[in-house]
Amino acid sequence: MFRLFASSSKGALRTAAKNQQVRNLSIHEYMSANLLSEAGIKVPKGHVASTPEEAFQAAKDLGASDLVIKAQVLAGGRGKGHFDSGLKGGVKVIYSPEEARDLASKMLNHKLFTKQTGVHGKECNKVFIVERKYVRREYYFAILMDRATQGPVLVASAQGGVDIETVAAEDPEAIIKLPVDINKGLSLESALQLASQLGFVGNAREEAADTFLKLYKLFLAKDATQIEINPLVETSDQQVMCMDAKFGFDDNASFRQKGVFSLRDPTQEDPREVQAEKWDLNYIGLDGRIGCLVNGAGLAMSTMDIIKLHGGEPANFLDVGGSATAKQICEAFKIISSDSGVSAALVNIFGGIMRCDVVAQGIIDAVKELDLKIPLVVRLQGTNVNEGKKLINESGISIFPCDDLDKAAELVVKLSDITSLAQKVGVHAKLSLA
C-alpha cells in the first residue's frame, strides 16, 4: 500500500519490521466487497466458499462462464504467490464450477506464500469467487489518514492494477494527492476535478466522482484508517467498479464499530500478538534473537535501539504498561519464550506506577513455570527496586542483574551470541555468573 502516514510508534515500528502486519484491523476482500456494496458502491458479484463443494456451488450460482477465484489471505501479492500444495498464484481465472472446485481444493487449508507473508506463509481458509469483468482502463484510488495535513488525503493514479509503490518510485508525477479538510468534507466539485485528472470522461466521470464521494463517506462512517481500491476500473459499458479493496480500521474505534470488528480473523494474525492482546500487553514480533520486556513504549524503543547499537537484533517489541500484574509479566514471558528464535532476553523496568517487586515476582513465576533455558538479563530501577531485587536474590533463580542499561544491553548481546552458537552445534549451554 502507498503509505503517507504513521499512526503511532507501533505503526512506525511495524513499517521498519520486515514482513509484519499493521496492527490496525484489516479484513478480507470479500468482507470489504460487502461493505462497499452496502454503501451503494459497485463491485463485481461474488460468493465466498470455505470448502471445494461450496466453491462449486458458488460458481454455479453466479451463472457466468468467466469467473475469478481468489484466495482470501490478508497479504498483498496473492497473484504472484504460491501454495504449499504446489499451486502457483492465489488469483486464478476459471471457466466452470468444476474448475472452481479443483482450484479451491488446492487453496483451502493450504498456506499461501507471498512477498508480504514471510517464510511462514498464511493459511487460506476461504476463497472468493467473483464474476470476471472486462475493463477498458484501470486506476488506483485510496483514502488515507495523513499526518502532514492532519486529516484524510485522497491518493489516486491513472496507473492502476499494479504495485502503486513502484509507480510512485518510478513516476512520482503519476500520483495525484488531494488533502481533504475533515471539517468540510469532500465536495462534488473536488471529486469531479479528480475524476477529470484521472482521465474519466462523459458518464464515467460523473460515476467516478460519485464513487469517490461514497468511499469518503464510508471512510468516515466506519472509522477507517485506509480504503485502498486497486484497481478501480471503467468497464466496457462505462461502469465504474471497485475490483479489489483493502480496508484498515482504527483499533481505538472498536467500541463503536462492533459490527466491523466482529469481522476480524485472528487466524491471519501472529498468534503471539493475539495472545498478548488477551492480557492487555503491547507486543509486536520482530526478526531478531533478543527478547525484550519493558514498561513504556518510549523506553521499549530506546531499549531496542541500544541493543542494536551493541550489534544485537531485538526479537520483539513488548510493553507491559504501567500497571501490569505479576500474572501479566508471567504471560509476557510465555509469549517471548514461544519464539524459538529467541536466544536471550532483557528485562528493562523503570518503576513509577509499575512496582519493581511486582515485576520481580512475575519474573520468578515465569522462570519457575516455564523452566526458562535462555539467559535472562534484568535491570530494575524505581519504585520498590530494593524489594524487587531482594525477591530475585532469595528466589534462587539464575539471572544476570545489571543496573546500567548500556552494560545490560552489551551483556545480553554477548549472551545471545553464546547461546546461539551452542544451539547451532546442538549443545545446551546453561550460563550463570562466576
Side-chain angles (χ1 to χ4, degrees):
M1 189 198 76
F2 187 69
R3 299 188 183 279
L4 293 178
F5 76 111
S7 60
S8 64
S9 61
K10 285 187 197 175
L13 178 61
R14 179 67 75 184
T15 300
K18 184 171 64 177
N19 297 325
Q20 299 294 328
Q21 293 182 356
V22 174
R23 286 294 294 272
N24 289 336
L25 173 70
S26 295
I27 61 176
H28 286 294
E29 178 190 358
Y30 75 93
M31 297 174 177
S32 298
N34 289 339
L35 289 178
L36 292 173
S37 182
E38 291 169 2
I41 299 165
K42 291 181 180 178
V43 296
K45 293 178 182 178
H47 298 305
V48 68
S50 53
T51 68
E53 287 305 318
E54 287 181 5
F56 174 88
Q57 192 60 48
K60 192 174 180 179
D61 290 345
L62 285 170
S65 58
D66 281 5
L67 300 168
V68 180
I69 183 169
K70 302 180 179 183
Q72 295 301 281
V73 170
L74 291 178
R78 291 174 299 168
K80 295 181 179 179
H82 66 278
F83 287 88
D84 58 12
S85 65
L87 179 66
K88 303 293 184 182
V91 179
K92 294 284 192 179
V93 177
I94 54 176
Y95 303 98
S96 69
E98 289 78 14
E99 198 172 356
R101 178 169 52 199
D102 178 60
L103 285 174
S105 69
K106 297 174 182 176
M107 292 181 176
L108 292 168
N109 302 316
H110 289 285
K111 285 190 175 181
L112 176 64
F113 299 86
T114 77
K115 62 181 181 180
Q116 290 188 9
T117 64
V119 296
H120 300 294
K122 287 193 176 180
E123 187 162 322
C124 176
N125 299 311
K126 295 183 185 296
V127 293
F128 190 34
I129 299 170
V130 298
E131 59 183 355
R132 186 183 183 190
K133 290 290 184 180
Y134 291 90
V135 304
R136 295 179 68 243
R137 295 184 65 183
E138 294 183 326
Y139 306 85
Y140 175 90
F141 180 84
I143 308 174
L144 312 169
M145 291 301 294
D146 181 24
R147 176 169 289 175
T149 60
Q150 299 185 3
V153 60
L154 275 54
V155 181
S157 175
Q159 298 183 34
V162 295
D163 182 2
I164 195 64
E165 291 180 337
T166 301
V167 174
E170 296 179 354
D171 186 10
E173 298 300 319
I175 305 296
I176 301 170
K177 301 173 191 175
L178 176 63
V180 179
D181 185 334
I182 200 166
N183 295 310
K184 296 179 180 179
L186 178 64
S187 67
L188 175 59
E189 181 183 1
S190 295
L192 286 169
Q193 184 178 357
L194 178 59
S196 296
Q197 285 179 277
L198 289 172
F200 287 101
V201 295
N203 293 335
R205 174 176 176 266
E206 306 288 333
E207 193 169 336
D210 182 61
T211 300
F212 299 157
L213 291 168
K214 287 177 178 177
L215 284 168
Y216 182 79
K217 182 178 180 182
L218 182 63
F219 179 85
L220 294 183
K222 299 298 184 181
D223 288 300
T225 54
Q226 73 167 59
I227 295 180
E228 183 182 43
I229 311 298
N230 191 21
L232 175 75
V233 306
E234 180 185 347
T235 63
S236 55
D237 55 355
Q238 290 194 311
Q239 290 190 77
V240 176
M241 303 186 77
C242 298
M243 301 299 285
D244 194 359
K246 292 180 183 177
F247 278 69
F249 302 92
D250 188 347
D251 285 345
N252 294 311
S254 60
F255 72 97
R256 66 183 179 198
Q257 297 290 351
K258 297 188 184 301
V260 167
F261 279 79
S262 69
L263 302 176
R264 179 183 180 186
D265 182 0
T267 67
Q268 297 290 302
E269 301 176 26
D270 186 329
R272 298 169 300 179
E273 294 184 10
V274 175
Q275 186 66 17
E277 186 177 353
K278 291 180 181 177
W279 290 96
D280 199 24
L281 302 169
N282 298 309
Y283 176 92
I284 299 174
L286 302 175
D287 298 329
R289 300 188 64 85
I290 299 174
C292 304
L293 189 153
V294 189
N295 67 316
L299 186 60
M301 297 292 279
S302 299
T303 302
M304 293 166 63
D305 285 343
I306 199 166
I307 286 173
K308 289 180 71 68
L309 183 66
H310 285 284
E313 289 291 338
N316 63 270
F317 169 100
L318 201 164
D319 168 21
V320 299
S323 58
T325 63
K327 179 62 176 174
Q328 285 174 295
I329 299 296
C330 185
E331 292 298 325
F333 269 105
K334 287 182 182 179
I335 295 168
I336 290 175
S337 62
S338 69
D339 184 347
S340 59
V342 172
S343 55
L346 171 61
V347 177
N348 184 18
I349 298 295
F350 187 80
I353 300 174
M354 180 81 256
R355 290 162 37 199
C356 290
D357 56 329
V358 172
V359 175
Q361 189 60 55
I363 293 172
I364 294 166
D365 293 344
V367 171
K368 291 181 177 180
E369 181 179 341
L370 302 174
D371 189 24
L372 284 180
K373 303 295 184 184
I374 59 173
L376 183 61
V377 179
V378 177
R379 176 181 181 264
L380 299 177
Q381 294 292 333
T383 305
N384 289 3
V385 62
N386 293 328
E387 290 87 340
K389 290 180 177 179
K390 182 180 179 183
L391 281 172
I392 290 176
N393 291 335
E394 294 176 352
S395 69
I397 64 174
S398 179
I399 69 164
F400 295 83
C402 191
D403 291 339
D404 184 279
L405 177 56
D406 187 63
K407 292 180 179 178
E410 184 179 10
L411 176 60
V412 78
V413 170
K414 290 179 179 179
L415 292 172
S416 173
D417 290 342
I418 294 170
T419 306
S420 297
L421 182 61
Q423 290 172 347
K424 286 180 181 179
V425 297
V427 175
H428 170 63
K430 187 172 183 179
L431 306 176
S432 59
L433 289 171

